[in-house]
Amino acid sequence: MHVDGSKLLEQATFARLQAYAPYSKFQVGAALLDSQGNIHLGCNVENAAYGPTNCAERTALFRAIADGHQPGSFQAIAVIGDTDTPITPCGVCRQVLVELCGREMPVFMGNIKGDWTQTTVGDLLPGAFDSRSLDHS
Ligand code: THU
């Protein structure tokens, strides 16, 4: 199925405005497309202890899961930040994307200048440790 990456990036741009990023001052937005065509927005939410910070991608994913959407049912995600080249998800978010999304799911990455590129969940984390890795017996 064709996914409109530019529309999803536009929604991520709106989500970015909600970022709570008083420490890094680096605002990130994400938009996750579900199986019914609805969009779940996420932003980064920071913490004075730094470690509890939640990235925009995980906020969108956890929000959709909490709203009852099934892992593996999502169509695409877009993420945007104020970077020179399109933003790239952190390692923790890549691991969570592998857990909750199909390996072929498109990931649209952009910056606020309008540059963007597209990859897949599987290409972001080759050789991922996943649920199959636990099937050892
Ligand atoms: N951040 C995201 O939300 N997504 C990314 O893809 C990269 C990093 C956030 C985490 C932190 O709040 C800030 O950006 C600086 O790392």
Side-chain angles (χ1 to χ4, degrees):
M1 180 187 282
H2 174 75
V3 175
D4 187 345
S6 60
K7 183 184 168 199
L8 214 49
L9 282 161
E10 187 181 306
Q11 293 298 308
T13 305
F14 286 123
R16 180 175 170 272
L17 302 177
Q18 308 298 337
Y20 174 68
Y23 307 106
S24 72
K25 315 255 193 264
F26 185 78
Q27 299 170 297
V28 185
L32 177 68
L33 186 66
D34 71 24
S35 58
Q36 291 137 11
N38 294 314
I39 292 173
H40 306 261
L41 301 181
C43 60
N44 52 331
V45 181
E46 297 188 344
N47 191 284
Y50 296 177
T53 290
N54 211 61
C55 290
E57 299 93 315
R58 279 177 285 141
T59 301
L61 286 159
F62 295 161
R63 187 177 189 179
I65 293 290
D67 278 340
H69 293 273
Q70 292 302 307
S73 69
F74 303 110
Q75 294 193 58
I77 192 168
V79 55
I80 199 158
D82 186 8
T83 38
D84 281 344
T85 55
I87 193 167
T88 176
C90 81
V92 171
C93 287
R94 291 173 194 227
Q95 184 72 29
V96 173
L97 283 163
V98 163
E99 184 72 31
L100 300 177
C101 306
R103 300 292 171 113
E104 304 306 319
M105 192 188 88
V107 179
F108 298 96
M109 304 169 293
N111 63 21
I112 60 173
K113 292 187 292 182
D115 306 318
W116 65 280
T117 186
Q118 178 178 352
T119 185
T120 64
V121 168
D123 282 351
L124 282 174
L125 194 59
F129 184 90
D130 66 7
S131 59
R132 286 170 302 184
S133 311
L134 297 170
D135 295 337
H136 53 83
S137 55

